[in-house]
């Protein structure tokens, strides 16, 4: 009986060993090709709220036809790790701070691929500058219409502790609505006091944004690292 | 060997004889495990059984059995139960597919039943008409559940049968306009209300149930027409699948008011007022199933049929739980508690600090801060020191000990544990910052939590019913519709009736007090935890402002109230008293974030692939 048990265990081990060696961990290789690029207007990347704006990748020819969501980072860049193949890139409807355009961009991925996605934003903020005096931040920037029928709903200065500073995630927001603006576009100045909780820090992130009437997302300047002490 | 052959011969003979003795239709017997059409549709009990099945499948976003955890996903409560569900406090944004519903399986089954009743059934005509009316009511309700989530959906009223011709376009029904679905609901109810029968039933649809659906649906349609058009950029689709013209608002509001007033003026229902203790009275309104005069339609449970639910097991206050696990899952937040006004009509904000904010306000008793509040607060929420099942629910987060210059805050991990002075350190019911199944907010849920003995054990469970329509909501629907139609005095009277039951004096509101905000707040405090808040915010188009994902927005962040006992040996006016701290609920991480794409839920790409005529919802 004792011997039998031993043999049984040995046989069991043998089977287990055979079971482990006989199959591979995975049937497919993971995707390897990186698709990267920027959301651009006239070649310049558009800064947005990180993880707020989405592009879609579609691939036809397979039974399952589902989009691959591609989130746009704060600086307007995006990336996706894909299998080589033919893809179609579109905007998520009425999602970004640009005019809705149902056009499709055909993308061929062969190894690492770089492609820029053209949009027409409502506004662009070509040069924003930030200055500090005492505890007050002064943001000076130009909001230019990139689309003829754009109208400012509000402009804002946002302060935060991380790179991901925007209208949703911030420690302080200073906004001026259209009614209180001197002109419909052009140069604007927004001032704001650094909140008490941030003053002891050595640096904070600041950013300005422009919101078009009725558009959920804003166009931003690049997050700027402001040295405090 | 020989004998075996003999046996085989006898057996063969037996088999032959057996076959011979059968009748011709031996192979054409009815199946013993399936009921056939003419059996089902000619037997009123079996038809009723089929309809019961449909009642049971009515979709709900939140009910006592389905999706109740989502009570902790908005601004009424957070999750304090099992820590594996902490995602309810942590999700960064509502997904576009949240609230999604596409239950054409149920709609098909109802359509099929309507067809069979007409073609197969030999039941008396008035029975058939009554069953038809009931089925059409359920179908209208299911379409309402769809339209409030998805906007206009394909209006399918017959079976769709594919003919295998290779061209599926005949079964690919496009979406109807949003207003067409609402109009369909109103028209159906007008047609069937007279033949619904079921007079006096609280669980099967009768004329008043149908009118209640009309009251709610028309109010939703009216406010969509009204408030969507007031947005900077209204949410619409070119084909009208989403978006109702502002010009129809008055028509819808009028229908909502008429339907509501018909229910109210019928006199069949009264506001529940059996208990002179107004707080207990409001609680009993949901618990009492005997001749409840306020409930129009409920999803009932029955222990003898083993239809029970674990809502009480999951949500009872910690110190009175009877099971060794569970409890404390849905815990109301301070945001909701402060929306209950004081009975003198002043704002419900709790008085926690002196007017110059230099010190706490010291209370002799923890319940004192809640004195003279709207009785609906007691009926909805268990606050520190209030009673449940005859026990005081003691809540104390710790002690504050004076050190000469300020207070040292001392908390502990031992529920019901004592401090070194021999008195309570932490209440038996918390609150506690991180232990699971203890309130994280300083409040527990009372509404819908059963007070029957043993109902919080997994062996017994609860049979409290889920109220789908009640007269209180109809009053509020009438008030809102009347207000939007400019009949402010009518609105005021309905609001005052509800407020009087909550302990406010008669006529507590003047005409000038009746504002949009007041009506919305009345809905919030009266209908909390009854699956209204998210739909109300959506149809008023304020969800994206209330829940904007911003940490600095007090509407998007959930707050807790932590009571402390004060130890201050040198100052008898403070020693042994209680103070309160308003803090951001410790287990609550991510502010509520509702995006424009959440107003209408995602129509999945699998559906669009199957039916390319479906238009995607805005922002998707």
């Amino acid at each position: 009986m004792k011997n039998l048990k031993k043999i049984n265990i040995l046989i069991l081990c043998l089977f287990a060993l055979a079971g482990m060696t006989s199959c591979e961990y995975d049937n497919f290789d993971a995707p390897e090709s990186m698709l990267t690029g920027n959301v651009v207007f006239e070649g310049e990347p558009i800064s947005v709220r990180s993880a707020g704006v989405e592009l879609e990748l579609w691939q036809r020819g397979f039974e399952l036809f589902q989009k691959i969501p591609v989130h746009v980072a704060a600086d307007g860049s995006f990336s996706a790790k894909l299998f080589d193949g033919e893809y179609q890139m579109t905007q998520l409807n009425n999602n970004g701070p640009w005019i809705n355009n149902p056009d499709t961009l055909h993308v061929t991925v062969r190894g690492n691929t770089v492609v820029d996605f053209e949009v027409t934003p409502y506004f662009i903020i070509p040069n924003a500058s930030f200055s500090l005096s005492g505890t007050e931040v002064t943001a000076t920037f130009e909001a230019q219409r990139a689309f003829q029928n754009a109208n400012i709903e509000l402009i804002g200065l946002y302060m935060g502790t991380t790179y991901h500073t925007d209208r949703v995630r911030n420690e302080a927001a200073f906004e001026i609505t259209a009614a209180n603006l001197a002109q419909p576009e052009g140069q604007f100045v927004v001032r704001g006091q650094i909140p008490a909780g941030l003053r002891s820090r050595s640096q904070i992130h600041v950013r300005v944004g422009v919101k078009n009437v009725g558009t959920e997302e804003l166009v931003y300047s690049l997050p700027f690292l402001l040295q405090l002490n | 060997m020989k004998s075996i052959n003999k046996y085989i011969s006898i057996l063969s003979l037996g088999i032959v004889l057996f076959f011979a003795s059968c009748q011709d239709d031996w192979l054409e017997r009815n199946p013993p495990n399936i009921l056939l059409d003419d059996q089902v549709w000619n037997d009123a009990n079996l038809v009723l059984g089929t309809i019961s099945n449909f009642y049971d499948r009515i979709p709900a976003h939140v009910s006592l059995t389905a999706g109740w955890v989502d009570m902790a996903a908005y601004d009424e409560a957070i999750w304090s139960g099992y820590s594996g569900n902490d995602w309810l406090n942590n999700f960064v944004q509502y997904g576009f597919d949240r609230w999604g519903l596409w239950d054409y399986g149920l709609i098909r089954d109802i359509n099929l039943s309507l067809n069979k009743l007409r073609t197969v059934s030999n039941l008396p005509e008035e029975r058939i008409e009554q069953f038809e009316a009931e089925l059409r009511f359920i179908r209208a309700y299911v379409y309402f559940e769809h339209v409030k989530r998805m906007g206009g959906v394909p209006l399918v009223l017959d079976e769709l049968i594919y003919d295998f011709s290779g061209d599926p376009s005949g079964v690919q029904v496009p979406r109807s306009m949003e207003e067409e679905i609402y109009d369909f609901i109103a028209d159906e109810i007008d047609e069937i209300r007279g033949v619904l029968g079921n007079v006096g039933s609280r669980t099967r649809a009768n004329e008043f149930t149908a009118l209640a659906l009309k009251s709610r649906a028309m109010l939703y349609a009216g406010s969509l027409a009204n408030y969507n058009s007031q947005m900077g950029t209204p949410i619409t689709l070119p084909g009208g699948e989403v978006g109702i013209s502002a010009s129809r608002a008055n028509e819808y509001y009028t229908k909502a008011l008429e339907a509501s007033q018909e229910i109210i003026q019928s006199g069949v229902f009264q506001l529940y007022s059996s208990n002179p203790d107004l707080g207990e009275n409001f609680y009993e309104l949901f618990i009492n199933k005997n001749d409840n005069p306020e409930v129009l339609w409920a999803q009932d449970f029955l222990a003898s049929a083993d239809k029970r639910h674990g809502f009480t097991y999951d949500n009872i206050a910690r110190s009175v739980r009877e099971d060794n696990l569970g409890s404390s899952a849905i815990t109301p937040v301070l945001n909701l508690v402060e929306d209950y006004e004081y009975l003198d009509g002043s704002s419900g904000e709790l008085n926690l600090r002196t007017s110059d904010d230099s010190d706490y306000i010291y209370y002799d008793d923890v319940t004192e801060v809640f004195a003279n509040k709207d009785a609906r607060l007691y009926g909805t929420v268990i606050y520190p020191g209030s009673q449940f099942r005859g026990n005081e629910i003691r809540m104390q987060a710790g002690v504050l000990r004076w050190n000469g210059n300020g207070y040292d805050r001392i908390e502990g991990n031992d529920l019901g544990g004592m401090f070194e002075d021999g008195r309570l350190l932490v209440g038996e019911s918390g609150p506690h910052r991180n232990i699971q199944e203890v309130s994280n907010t300083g409040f527990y849920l009372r509404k819908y939590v059963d007070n029957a003995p043993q109902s919080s054990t997994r062996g017994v469970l609860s049979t409290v019913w889920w109220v789908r329509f009640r007269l209180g909501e109809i009053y509020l629907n009438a008030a809102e519709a009347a207000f939007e139609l400019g009949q402010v005095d009518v609105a005021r009277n309905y609001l005052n009736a509800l407020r009087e039951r909550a302990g406010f004096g008669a006529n507590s509101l003047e005409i000038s007090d009746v504002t949009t905000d007041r009506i919305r707040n009345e809905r919030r405090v009266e209908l909390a935890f009854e699956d209204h808040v998210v739909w109300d915010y959506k149809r008023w188009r304020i969800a994206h402002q209330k829940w904007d994902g911003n940490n600095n927005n007090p509407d998007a962040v959930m707050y807790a109230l932590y009571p402390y006992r004060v130890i201050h040996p040198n100052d008898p006016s403070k020693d042994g008293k209680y103070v309160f701290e308003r803090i951001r609920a410790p287990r609550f991480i991510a502010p509520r974030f509702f995006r424009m794409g959440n107003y209408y839920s995602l129509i999945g790409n699998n559906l669009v692939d199957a039916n390319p005529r479906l238009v995607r919802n805005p922002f998707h």
Side-chain angles (χ1 to χ4, degrees):
Chain A
M1 208 48 210
K2 222 176 179 185
N3 275 340
L4 212 68
K5 227 178 210 171
K6 228 180 223 169
I7 292 171
N8 269 346
I9 290 171
L10 274 174
I11 290 175
L12 217 71
C13 289
L14 205 71
F15 271 113
L17 213 70
M20 275 192 258
T21 49
S22 64
C23 54
E24 284 178 39
Y25 285 110
D26 210 341
N27 295 326
F28 294 98
D29 292 329
E32 296 244 302
S33 308
M34 284 296 283
L35 172 69
T36 53
N38 289 306
V39 177
V40 298
F41 172 68
E42 294 176 348
E44 289 298 312
I46 308 291
S47 293
V48 293
R49 179 170 76 85
S50 59
V53 177
E54 210 178 296
L55 302 174
E56 307 177 314
L57 276 175
W58 302 86
Q59 191 176 30
R60 293 187 182 273
F62 297 92
E63 194 176 351
L64 184 70
F65 184 58
Q66 297 277 351
K67 72 173 175 187
I68 304 167
V70 180
H71 291 276
V72 182
D75 60 359
S77 67
F78 57 84
S79 64
K81 202 159 210 177
L82 302 168
F83 293 111
D84 285 352
E86 304 286 327
Y87 293 87
Q88 293 169 319
M89 196 169 206
T90 55
Q91 306 175 4
L92 187 60
N93 275 332
N94 292 307
N95 170 238
W98 39 71
I99 58 168
N100 201 42
N101 185 348
D103 287 358
T104 298
L105 177 69
H106 291 271
V107 180
T108 306
V109 177
R110 294 270 177 274
N112 290 347
T113 308
V114 178
V115 66
D116 281 345
F117 192 84
E118 283 277 348
V119 295
T120 310
Y122 293 104
F123 289 92
I124 52 171
I125 308 176
N127 31 40
S129 65
F130 301 89
S131 64
L132 178 75
S133 67
T135 56
E136 190 181 68
V137 177
T138 304
T140 311
F141 63 98
E142 214 170 306
Q144 288 177 6
R145 275 198 189 109
F147 174 64
Q148 211 175 0
N149 293 330
N151 289 303
I152 294 179
E153 180 179 330
L154 55 85
I155 60 175
L157 164 64
Y158 306 98
M159 303 179 190
T161 55
T162 73
Y163 183 77
H164 305 288
T165 292
D166 46 51
R167 189 162 189 236
V168 174
R169 279 162 298 214
N170 58 59
E171 301 295 322
F174 306 90
E175 294 182 337
I176 305 174
T177 50
N180 299 317
L181 294 176
Q183 74 259 28
E185 63 175 327
Q187 195 170 39
F188 296 105
V189 176
V190 187
R191 292 191 177 83
Q193 289 288 336
I194 300 173
L198 296 188
R199 283 177 198 167
S200 58
R201 289 175 171 265
S202 58
Q203 50 195 24
I204 60 170
H205 286 86
V206 291
R207 206 174 187 193
V208 290
V210 178
K211 187 173 190 295
N212 179 52
V213 172
T215 309
E216 193 176 15
E217 294 293 338
L218 286 73
V219 176
Y220 294 92
S221 63
L222 264 179
F224 180 78
L225 192 58
L226 189 66
Q227 301 294 333
L228 296 187
N229 303 312
Chain B
M1 215 40 213
K2 223 174 191 180
S3 64
I4 287 179
N5 274 342
K6 201 154 120 197
Y7 279 123
I8 289 177
S9 309
I10 291 170
L11 207 71
S12 312
L13 198 71
I15 289 171
V16 171
L17 278 174
F18 179 73
F19 276 112
S21 68
C22 289
Q23 288 170 355
D24 292 342
D25 59 353
W26 188 79
L27 289 169
E28 291 170 11
R29 285 186 303 183
N30 285 337
N33 56 347
I34 295 173
L35 290 166
L36 298 179
D37 272 348
D38 56 342
Q39 290 174 308
V40 173
W41 302 109
N42 287 317
D43 181 334
N45 283 329
L46 289 177
V47 177
L48 183 58
T50 311
I51 293 178
S52 308
N53 172 275
F54 299 154
Y55 273 112
D56 204 44
R57 286 160 63 190
I58 287 177
H61 172 54
V62 165
S63 77
L64 296 182
T65 43
W68 59 268
V69 298
D70 281 335
M71 287 180 182
Y74 305 112
D75 60 4
E76 295 175 335
I78 66 160
W79 182 264
S80 296
Y82 162 60
S83 55
N85 262 6
D86 267 5
W87 58 270
L88 285 158
N89 308 331
N90 296 346
F91 53 86
V92 178
Q93 57 200 11
Y94 297 114
F96 283 165
D97 56 351
R98 194 184 172 81
W99 307 290
L101 180 69
W102 205 261
D103 198 352
Y104 278 88
L106 178 54
I107 290 171
R108 177 190 176 276
D109 286 353
I110 295 172
N111 288 339
L112 184 66
S113 304
L114 286 166
N115 182 338
K116 295 289 183 191
L117 276 174
R118 272 290 149 226
T119 54
V120 179
S121 183
N122 293 318
L123 290 171
E125 181 60 24
E126 70 268 18
R127 288 311 299 273
I128 293 182
E129 276 183 4
Q130 192 270 325
F131 282 137
E132 268 184 337
E134 205 164 353
L135 286 165
R136 285 169 70 182
F137 168 79
I138 298 173
R139 186 174 63 181
Y141 187 86
V142 173
Y143 270 113
F144 174 62
E145 281 291 324
H146 278 85
V147 71
K148 75 179 184 184
R149 301 154 189 252
M150 317 301 294
V153 290
L155 191 59
V156 181
L157 302 176
D158 287 306
E159 265 187 287
L160 295 178
I161 297 169
Y162 178 49
D163 57 6
F164 292 97
S165 64
D167 173 22
S169 59
V171 293
Q172 291 174 332
V173 183
R175 297 174 66 184
S176 294
M177 294 164 74
E178 192 173 23
E179 59 191 288
E180 281 171 349
I181 304 288
Y182 282 107
D183 291 340
F184 163 76
I185 294 166
D187 294 345
E188 284 283 285
I189 288 169
D190 289 342
E191 279 181 36
I192 62 175
R193 50 177 288 190
V195 281
L196 260 170
N198 297 331
V199 175
S201 176
R202 299 283 195 263
T203 50
R204 287 179 68 186
N206 57 36
E207 183 172 15
F208 294 108
T209 324
L211 284 171
L213 172 59
K214 190 176 176 186
S215 156
R216 191 189 284 178
M218 292 299 101
L219 182 68
Y220 278 31
S223 36
L224 287 171
N226 187 6
Y227 290 105
N228 192 46
S229 318
Q230 292 181 22
M231 298 183 89
T233 310
I235 305 172
T236 54
L237 286 175
E241 294 87 351
V242 160
I244 300 176
S245 152
S247 62
R248 297 204 61 190
N250 274 3
E251 175 196 340
Y252 283 128
Y253 280 132
T254 306
K255 285 183 180 173
L257 182 59
E258 282 170 3
S260 311
Q261 285 183 324
E262 208 175 329
I263 299 170
I264 296 167
Q265 287 161 6
S266 73
V268 176
F269 304 93
Q270 278 87 38
L271 292 181
Y272 188 95
S273 44
S274 308
N275 192 330
D277 179 336
L278 297 177
E280 285 288 340
N281 181 66
F282 190 72
Y283 167 66
E284 281 174 19
L285 150 58
F286 301 93
I287 304 298
N288 183 2
K289 300 203 283 188
N290 296 326
D291 295 326
N292 191 317
E294 175 155 354
V295 173
L296 278 84
W297 192 34
Q299 179 191 15
D300 204 358
F301 297 86
L302 185 67
S304 62
D306 195 28
K307 249 185 109 54
R308 304 173 291 171
H309 59 78
F311 189 76
T312 298
Y313 161 73
D314 280 303
N315 295 300
I316 192 167
R318 171 64 181 247
S319 62
V320 287
R321 75 177 184 185
E322 298 151 304
D323 207 304
N324 63 334
L325 291 174
S327 90
S328 323
I330 306 289
T331 45
V333 289
L334 184 61
N335 310 41
L336 175 68
V337 170
E338 292 202 316
D339 283 338
Y340 289 89
E341 292 171 23
Y342 285 98
L343 290 178
D344 61 6
S346 58
S347 143
E349 206 172 309
L350 299 173
N351 300 311
L352 308 179
R353 308 275 300 177
T354 54
S355 52
D356 60 353
D357 198 29
S358 60
D359 197 2
Y360 298 107
I361 294 179
Y362 295 83
Y363 289 97
D364 292 333
D365 190 281
V366 274
T367 55
E368 220 174 298
V369 68
F370 304 102
N372 297 317
K373 271 222 157 196
D374 187 329
R376 289 171 290 191
L377 172 66
Y378 178 94
T380 308
V381 173
I382 297 174
Y383 48 78
S386 72
Q387 300 275 324
F388 188 66
R389 294 183 171 194
N391 294 296
E392 183 192 339
I393 307 300
R394 285 215 283 185
M395 277 187 258
Q396 181 179 315
V399 297
L400 293 185
R401 185 166 57 182
W402 186 254
N403 61 15
N405 302 312
Y407 284 114
D408 293 328
R409 184 195 293 137
I410 302 143
E411 297 176 357
N413 290 329
D414 182 14
L415 297 182
M418 295 295 154
F419 189 53
E420 55 201 40
D421 63 357
R423 297 182 60 202
L424 192 67
L425 175 61
V426 180
E428 292 90 340
S429 283
H432 197 279
R433 288 176 193 264
N434 49 38
I435 301 181
Q436 66 173 3
E437 293 165 355
V438 181
S439 177
N440 199 245
T441 61
F443 303 102
Y444 287 97
L445 182 64
R446 187 192 302 272
K447 200 182 256 190
Y448 284 119
V449 177
D450 202 345
N451 58 2
Q454 298 295 311
S455 58
S456 72
T457 62
R458 280 168 289 179
V460 176
L461 297 177
S462 169
T463 55
V464 164
W465 64 9
W466 172 250
V467 180
R468 289 184 173 126
F469 290 124
R470 66 180 175 97
L471 191 61
E473 184 207 338
I474 305 299
Y475 270 64
L476 287 166
N477 293 352
E480 187 179 336
F483 178 78
E484 297 287 358
L485 291 168
Q487 304 173 26
V488 185
D489 53 327
V490 178
R492 180 188 69 150
N493 292 342
Y494 289 130
L495 295 179
N496 277 340
L498 286 175
R499 287 166 64 88
E500 197 172 341
R501 177 174 64 165
F504 295 89
N507 304 318
S508 58
L509 294 180
E510 299 295 327
I511 294 255
S512 58
D513 295 329
V514 181
T515 59
T516 309
D517 286 343
R518 175 76 70 166
I519 289 172
R520 290 178 180 179
N521 196 57
E522 285 298 319
R523 274 188 87 87
R524 178 161 162 78
V525 298
E526 174 83 25
L527 301 175
F529 303 108
E530 296 178 48
D531 192 20
H532 284 282
V533 61
V534 66
W535 310 113
D536 282 347
Y537 286 4
K538 278 188 176 198
R539 66 189 173 87
W540 295 326
R541 293 289 189 257
I542 56 171
H544 68 287
Q545 294 162 343
K546 284 265 183 194
W547 301 327
D548 64 357
N550 196 315
N551 264 315
N552 307 325
N553 177 0
D555 284 333
V557 175
M558 299 300 123
Y559 293 92
L561 183 73
Y562 276 30
Y564 292 91
R565 179 166 63 83
V566 176
I567 300 175
H568 201 312
N570 304 329
D571 189 344
S573 71
K574 296 175 180 172
D575 189 41
K577 305 270 170 100
Y578 294 93
V579 299
F580 296 88
E581 276 194 23
R582 176 201 314 267
I583 58 170
R584 184 182 167 130
R587 276 171 76 176
F588 180 80
I589 310 296
R592 305 294 191 213
F593 190 20
F594 184 105
R595 295 164 295 161
M596 299 299 272
N598 288 122
Y599 275 109
Y600 293 94
S601 295
L602 182 72
I603 295 177
N605 218 67
N606 53 338
L607 300 171
V608 181
D609 288 349
N611 179 1
R613 296 167 79 183
L614 294 178
V615 185
R616 285 205 226 172
N617 268 333
F619 307 105
H620 296 170

